Amino acid sequence: MKSTLSAIIVEDEEPAQDLLKNYITKTKWLECSGVCDDAMQALSVLHKQKADIVFLDVQMPQMSG
């Protein structure tokens, strides 16, 4: 069994990104494997790498979460 889970943050507001990164850093069984500013960037990242958890903003420009 994996000791840590990988998480990707999809959020267009930097303060919210920072808050989520801080929470992930404080959670021993989570590691942040990427931060995306929009859903299109997230789709590209997720095609290249696996993520166990995605923290997803629902209201974003271009394409909603």
Side-chain angles (χ1 to χ4, degrees):
M1 181 170 205
K2 281 174 67 173
S3 60
T4 60
L5 298 176
S6 63
I8 292 180
I9 298 168
V10 184
E11 171 61 61
D12 60 329
E13 296 180 14
E14 192 171 338
Q17 289 176 354
D18 293 339
L19 182 66
L20 284 165
K21 284 188 278 189
N22 187 31
Y23 285 143
I24 290 170
T25 301
K26 291 179 180 180
T27 306
K28 294 180 183 184
W29 48 270
L30 271 179
E31 69 177 29
C32 184
S33 60
V35 179
C36 303
D37 294 323
D38 60 53
M40 296 306 292
Q41 182 185 14
L43 285 173
S44 176
V45 168
L46 288 168
H47 276 101
K48 295 174 188 167
Q49 70 185 52
K50 181 181 177 272
D52 297 305
I53 299 172
V54 178
F55 292 96
L56 182 62
D57 184 3
V58 176
Q59 293 184 334
M60 290 185 293
Q62 295 178 346
M63 179 188 295
S64 70

